[in-house]
Amino acid sequence: MTETAYDRPRLRPEVVLGPALRSGPKTVHHVKDARTGCYYRVGPREHFIMGLMDGGHTLEDIGRSYTDAYDRRLGPAHWQQMFTMLGRYQLLDGYADDAALDKLRQAHEAKESARQSLLRRRWVMLRPDRLCATLATRLAFAFRAAFLVPASLLVAALQVFVWTHLSTLTHDATHQKSWMITVPLSVVLFWGITVLHEFAHGVTCRHFGGTVTEIGLSWRFPMLTPYCRTDDIVLFPRRGARVGTAFAGVFVSLLALVPVLAWWLLARDGVPGRPLAAALLLFGSAGALMSLLPVLRSDGYVMLTHALDLVDLRRESYRFWRLRLRRRDPAAREQLDAYPPRDARAYAVYGITSLLLLASAYCGLMWVWFGTLQRWTGPLWAAVILTVESVVAAGILALAARGRRTGERQAADA
């Protein structure tokens, strides 16, 4: 296909263009094809050209606008490269082939299946897009300031109360006589709050115009966690919409604890429900706040990446630090110089902060575990057991990292 094939090119209606985000030293835009489920990344110049392919601009118009914006002329080779890319992914309206689109969709699904492994797996429980769309319409009031401001104040007050009454809540949660009832019931209620958490992500994503493809369970060694797939977040032009979608789950989880606090306050000492309410307040608050830690690949991580208009924050920060450690190499220095100062600071701070926090948490865990083991096995065998466990865990994580890099290379080649 060449630029002379038609005069007014137009992208297919299912194609959606995303805003500019930073990935390492580059600016990228995500492009979604809703027909195939595929997401592609293009540079700013490709995005500029595609944004003008609306059926109302001729190739001459697009070329003129491109020259005004970039002070460069689009020659035949540039057009050929552009149309080759558009043809490969079947993105042009009137020139897409149904069989080729089905093949792209099948390749995308096969790639998703290939990412499953013993260390990384997803189980889809629900396809909630239609339900989330209905809820987003009915709960539209929840996205207005008249609701969000008082709800936020209520959540903040609840957290102040929980952490200033920590000893009382801990005493109530641990001093109870009906463990056989309260433990299973607390697990059920906690998972109920978790369901609300995931639906909050989905409903918020739908409110901002995205689609919600899956809700399920995700196994990422060594954690089993629920998830809601809101991939369209990278397409939202407003930063607040992206951050809000990531924060919605934590917000609703904490808001769901308000009636639990009322339950705890109304229940007198000795009432069976009081210890259960105390446990939910403690574990619900701690779990919600832990998910805000950006060193974990959870809600806080996604919030931070989009607050900074970045993607791949963890991977790119590791890449940045590998270059920093090799900065005596001229090639590494040249790559480092390509980073904007703001992004370089973000990757540097995130990398060192993550390392310090994770190392501190690991050392603390080993210290507690050593204190427990040595009472059973003695200090020598406790040290041996923890050393072996650390080596095994490091090996498993190294294999998982290698598998991810292999998958990323295969995805890039595809």
Side-chain angles (χ1 to χ4, degrees):
M1 184 184 300
T2 67
E3 72 273 19
T4 59
Y6 47 82
D7 186 46
R8 298 176 184 270
R10 179 174 59 190
L11 299 179
R12 291 184 13 251
E14 300 92 344
V15 177
V16 184
L17 305 180
L21 300 172
R22 300 289 301 173
S23 179
K26 299 178 180 179
T27 297
V28 298
H29 295 260
H30 289 82
V31 179
K32 178 189 177 182
D33 183 352
R35 168 77 178 270
T36 63
C38 295
Y39 291 79
Y40 309 107
R41 286 186 181 183
V42 298
R45 300 190 179 200
E46 292 84 355
H47 176 268
F48 180 86
I49 296 171
M50 294 172 70
L52 294 175
M53 290 184 170
D54 55 5
H57 294 83
T58 65
L59 294 178
E60 185 178 350
D61 295 335
I62 297 172
R64 209 166 28 241
S65 298
Y66 183 90
T67 301
D68 293 340
Y70 293 101
D71 197 26
R72 286 188 61 182
R73 178 179 172 275
L74 284 172
H78 299 105
W79 281 116
Q80 182 65 43
Q81 184 179 9
M82 189 71 197
F83 284 120
T84 299
M85 184 270 288
L86 295 171
R88 181 189 309 128
Y89 299 129
Q90 302 289 300
L91 299 179
L92 286 173
D93 192 28
Y95 291 85
D97 179 70
D98 287 340
L101 287 169
D102 288 339
K103 188 175 180 180
L104 286 170
R105 177 183 54 79
Q106 292 167 8
H108 172 70
E109 293 172 353
K111 192 182 300 180
E112 290 287 309
S113 299
R115 291 174 179 166
Q116 307 277 5
S117 68
L118 292 176
L119 301 178
R120 184 179 182 181
R121 185 169 293 274
R122 283 180 172 177
W123 294 275
V124 179
M125 302 297 178
L126 188 64
R127 306 284 185 181
D129 188 59
R130 191 170 296 178
L131 176 58
C132 287
T134 300
L135 291 173
T137 301
R138 294 183 177 180
L139 298 175
F141 68 90
F143 297 93
R144 301 191 183 108
F147 175 84
L148 288 174
V149 172
S152 300
L153 293 174
L154 195 58
V155 165
L158 181 143
Q159 287 305 293
V160 170
F161 183 91
V162 167
W163 299 111
T164 54
H165 291 74
L166 184 61
S167 59
T168 305
L169 290 169
T170 302
H171 179 273
D172 286 351
T174 55
H175 290 75
Q176 53 181 299
K177 300 178 181 178
S178 52
W179 290 96
M180 296 297 291
I181 297 175
T182 55
V183 170
L185 186 56
S186 63
V187 170
V188 170
L189 292 174
F190 186 77
W191 274 95
I193 293 175
T194 302
V195 170
L196 293 177
H197 177 116
E198 300 307 329
F199 266 100
H201 289 305
V203 172
T204 306
C205 179
R206 209 62 174 82
H207 172 76
F208 288 119
T211 57
V212 188
T213 55
E214 301 172 3
I215 285 181
L217 289 175
S218 172
W219 164 251
R220 190 187 294 267
F221 178 83
M223 298 177 65
L224 179 67
T225 57
Y227 76 93
C228 177
R229 194 156 186 178
T230 55
D231 296 339
D232 281 1
I233 190 173
V234 295
L235 303 174
F236 298 159
R238 291 196 302 115
R239 182 189 307 177
R242 302 195 300 270
V243 175
T245 301
F247 179 61
V250 172
F251 183 73
V252 168
S253 293
L254 294 175
L255 195 60
L257 295 179
V258 172
V260 178
L261 176 60
W263 174 13
W264 182 82
L265 290 172
L266 293 173
R268 293 175 297 176
D269 292 340
V271 175
R274 187 177 175 92
L276 177 58
L280 286 174
L281 287 170
L282 287 174
F283 288 106
S285 296
L289 295 179
M290 274 192 65
S291 68
L292 289 177
L293 290 175
V295 296
L296 305 175
R297 295 198 70 174
S298 190
D299 298 341
Y301 172 81
V302 180
M303 289 172 62
L304 178 62
T305 58
H306 286 289
L308 297 173
D309 280 334
L310 300 174
V311 289
D312 307 322
L313 175 59
R314 175 178 291 184
R315 184 179 66 186
E316 290 298 336
S317 116
Y318 292 164
R319 179 170 176 260
F320 175 83
W321 273 102
R322 285 196 297 268
L323 291 172
R324 284 289 300 268
L325 295 174
R326 295 173 40 237
R327 59 184 176 273
R328 293 185 179 180
D329 182 353
R333 281 201 307 273
E334 183 179 354
Q335 293 181 62
L336 284 170
D337 290 342
Y339 284 82
R342 172 184 173 274
D343 295 352
R345 287 193 297 270
Y347 292 129
V349 171
Y350 180 81
I352 195 66
T353 303
S354 298
L355 178 62
L356 291 175
L357 288 177
L358 291 175
S360 300
Y362 182 77
C363 291
L365 177 63
M366 290 297 103
W367 179 256
V368 172
W369 209 338
F370 178 80
T372 303
L373 282 176
Q374 71 170 344
R375 291 198 295 268
W376 300 338
T377 65
L380 178 60
W381 278 107
V384 170
I385 291 171
L386 293 179
T387 300
V388 172
E389 287 182 349
S390 298
V391 171
V392 171
I396 292 174
L397 291 174
L399 288 174
R402 183 182 300 175
R404 282 196 299 271
R405 286 195 295 270
T406 300
E408 289 165 1
R409 284 196 296 268
Q410 290 174 347
D413 294 340

